[in-house]
Amino acid sequence: MRKKILAILKSSNDYVSGQELARQLNVSRTAVWKNIKTLQSEGCLIEAVNNKGYRLVSCPEVLDESGIRSHLTTKYIGNKIFCYDETDSTNTRAKHEGESGGENGSLFAANLQTAGKGRRGRSWVSQKGEIAAVSFLLRPEIEIECVSRITLVAAVAVARVLAKLEGLKPRIKWPNDVVVNGKKICGILTEMSSEGMDINYVVVGIGINDYNETFPDNIAYKATSIKLENGKGYDRAMLIADLANEFEQLFDEFVNRKDLSFLLEEYNSLLVNKDEKVYVISDDKKTEYTAIGLSPNGGLLVKNELGEIENIISGEVSVRGIYGYV
Ligand code: ATP
Ligand code: BTN
C-alpha cells in the first residue's frame, strides 16, 4: 500500500486528503495514516496539514525489481528482471544472458553503470541514481536487415513516455537520440548477435537522463535531463516500466508488420530537424542536405542541393544541425 500512496502523492501537485487516499485505496483512514508514518520513518518527507491532507515533499528513490514490476502491464517484457545496484553496462549484461539462453523480453536495469556504452565505441556517462538505464533482450522473428529499425521504434516509445511528463516536449534526432530543447535527453544503443542471416538475439539499450543536474564539460552543451527541464525528475522504476509498456506494444506491431509505415506519420511529427538543413557526417565527409523525413525502411530521406532525394541509412553516419547539435 505504501507504493500506491506514494504514487498518488507523486502524481498530485497539491495536498491529497486522508479521506481521498482512503477512498482510492479502499482502506480506512487509520490504515492510510499508519502507512504515511511508515513512509516518513523510511525517509520520505510528507507534509501533513489539518483540513488539507498530505503533500509529498521528497522521497529517497529506490530502483528495484519490485518497483519496476509493480508498474508493468506488459505480456513478456520484464517477465524476467535483472536489476543491479552497480554493473558495467545493462547492454553487456543483456548480451551475456543472450549468449546463455536468456528469455525473450528479459529486462536489465541498473542504478549505476560503470561502463555505459554509446554508439561506435563511445561511452555513455552517468553517476549513481541519475539515469534510467535499461536494456531489453529480444529474440524477434524478423529479417536481419530490419534490426536497425528497432532503434527507431524505441525512440518513438521514449518520446511518447516523455511527452506525458510535465513541461517536456521531446523530439527525435534520427536515428538514436531523443532531444528536448535541442539537447540530448536519451540515447539508444541496439546491438545484435547473429549466425549467417539468423538472428540469435537483439539487445535494445535505452539511457534516459533523469535526475542529472550537471554533465561533464565536453557534453554539457548538448545534454539535458528531465530534472533540468522540469525541475523534478521522474521515478526511475516508473519510467522504466512506462517505457517497457509503451515499447512492447510498438515493437509487437512492428514485428507483425515488418516495416515502419505505421509509424511514419508519428515519427515525422517528432523529427527534430524535419525540413531543416542538416549536415550528414561520415568518417571522411560532411555534406549539407535538407532533412525530409523517415523512409519505411528506417533511413532518413534528405534532399541534396540539386533537389535530388537520397535515403541515408543509419550506421556509420551522424546528423547535425548546421548551427549545432540539432
Ligand atoms: P550521433 O548519434 O549523431 O553520432 P552523438 O554525439 O549523440 O551523435 P552517440 O554515439 O549517439 O553520439 O552518443 C554517444 C555520445 O553521447 C557520447 O560520445 C557523448 O558525447 C554523449 N553522451 C555520453 N553520455 C551522455 C549522457 N548521459 N547524456 C547525453 N549525452 C551523452
Ligand atoms: C548513444 O546515444 O550512443 C546510445 C546511448 C545508450 C545508453 C544506454 S544506457 C542503458 C544501455 N546500456 C548501455 O551501456 N548503453 C545503453
Side-chain angles (χ1 to χ4, degrees):
M1 187 192 322
R2 294 205 297 284
K3 278 191 186 127
K4 288 187 179 151
I5 292 181
L6 267 184
I8 297 172
L9 293 180
K10 271 182 185 163
S11 64
S12 169
N13 287 324
D14 203 355
Y15 290 88
V16 184
S17 69
Q19 193 177 4
E20 177 57 19
L21 284 168
R23 190 191 63 77
Q24 286 195 33
L25 300 170
N26 204 16
V27 295
S28 68
R29 283 173 67 176
T30 316
V32 168
W33 179 79
K34 279 188 183 154
N35 279 279
I36 295 264
K37 287 275 159 228
T38 313
L39 283 167
Q40 288 170 328
S41 71
E42 287 170 352
C44 291
L45 277 178
I46 300 173
E47 213 179 6
V49 174
N50 275 344
N51 300 325
K52 278 188 166 177
Y54 303 102
R55 189 175 73 88
L56 181 67
V57 180
S58 66
C59 201
E61 207 210 49
V62 238
L63 178 68
D64 61 10
E65 177 179 342
S66 70
I68 298 172
R69 197 172 287 293
S70 66
H71 296 101
L72 280 180
T73 56
T74 48
K75 294 195 290 284
Y76 62 95
I77 292 190
N79 279 357
K80 197 148 194 195
I81 295 179
F82 298 78
C83 188
Y84 309 92
D85 188 42
E86 186 175 322
T87 192
D88 44 4
S89 143
T90 53
N91 265 36
T92 306
R93 289 304 100 219
K95 283 166 69 179
H96 196 262
E97 270 312 292
E99 293 297 334
S100 44
E103 239 174 69
N104 180 35
S106 298
L107 183 159
F108 302 76
N111 255 316
L112 173 68
Q113 295 188 115
T114 51
K117 298 187 292 184
R119 291 205 307 160
R120 296 192 258 163
R122 295 164 175 162
S123 54
W124 184 257
V125 295
S126 66
Q127 292 174 39
K128 196 162 193 165
E130 279 184 338
I131 71 166
V134 62
S135 302
F136 305 129
L137 171 63
L138 304 165
R139 298 189 186 274
E141 289 185 9
I142 55 173
E143 301 298 319
I144 207 163
E145 63 269 16
C146 298
V147 168
S148 61
R149 300 176 199 168
I150 300 174
T151 300
L152 313 172
V153 173
V156 173
V158 171
R160 283 191 186 178
V161 166
L162 294 183
K164 291 186 191 138
L165 305 186
E166 195 187 319
L168 260 68
K169 281 208 171 60
R171 293 279 176 270
I172 297 175
K173 185 166 91 60
W174 181 91
N176 71 320
D177 299 341
V178 179
V179 298
V180 172
N181 279 330
K183 293 181 169 185
K184 180 161 169 169
I185 198 162
C186 165
I188 300 163
L189 176 66
T190 301
E191 301 186 85
M192 173 180 72
S193 152
S194 59
E195 271 170 52
M197 295 306 274
D198 295 330
I199 297 169
N200 182 11
Y201 62 82
V202 173
V203 168
V204 184
I206 303 172
I208 302 181
N209 295 328
D210 191 348
Y211 295 105
N212 319 51
E213 298 196 47
T214 56
F215 289 95
D217 287 348
N218 60 329
I219 58 170
Y221 76 98
K222 63 167 182 179
T224 191
S225 68
I226 300 176
K227 176 127 195 214
L228 286 173
E229 295 300 324
N230 73 5
K232 289 185 175 170
Y234 185 69
D235 183 286
R236 286 170 305 143
M238 268 163 43
L239 190 55
I240 287 170
D242 291 351
L243 193 55
N245 297 339
E246 200 69 61
F247 176 75
E248 186 183 274
Q249 277 191 19
L250 282 170
F251 179 68
D252 285 354
E253 187 153 4
F254 165 68
V255 170
N256 286 332
R257 294 177 183 246
K258 310 272 185 265
D259 84 0
L260 294 168
S261 304
F262 76 104
L263 264 190
L264 284 188
E265 204 179 311
E266 183 173 0
Y267 193 98
N268 286 334
S269 72
L270 292 164
L271 189 63
V272 68
N273 15 34
K274 184 165 166 31
D275 302 323
E276 295 192 4
K277 292 229 154 57
V278 292
Y279 287 127
V280 174
I281 305 163
S282 60
D283 282 343
D284 53 350
K285 61 176 195 208
K286 178 172 172 180
T287 316
E288 194 178 305
Y289 292 99
T290 302
I292 296 179
L294 189 68
S295 76
N297 75 358
L300 182 69
L301 294 172
V302 292
K303 195 161 49 176
N304 67 20
E305 53 189 12
L306 300 172
E308 298 157 338
I309 309 282
E310 295 181 29
N311 187 8
I312 309 278
I313 301 299
S314 76
E316 298 303 300
V317 296
S318 297
V319 176
R320 289 284 180 277
I322 52 172
Y323 300 114
Y325 182 61
V326 294

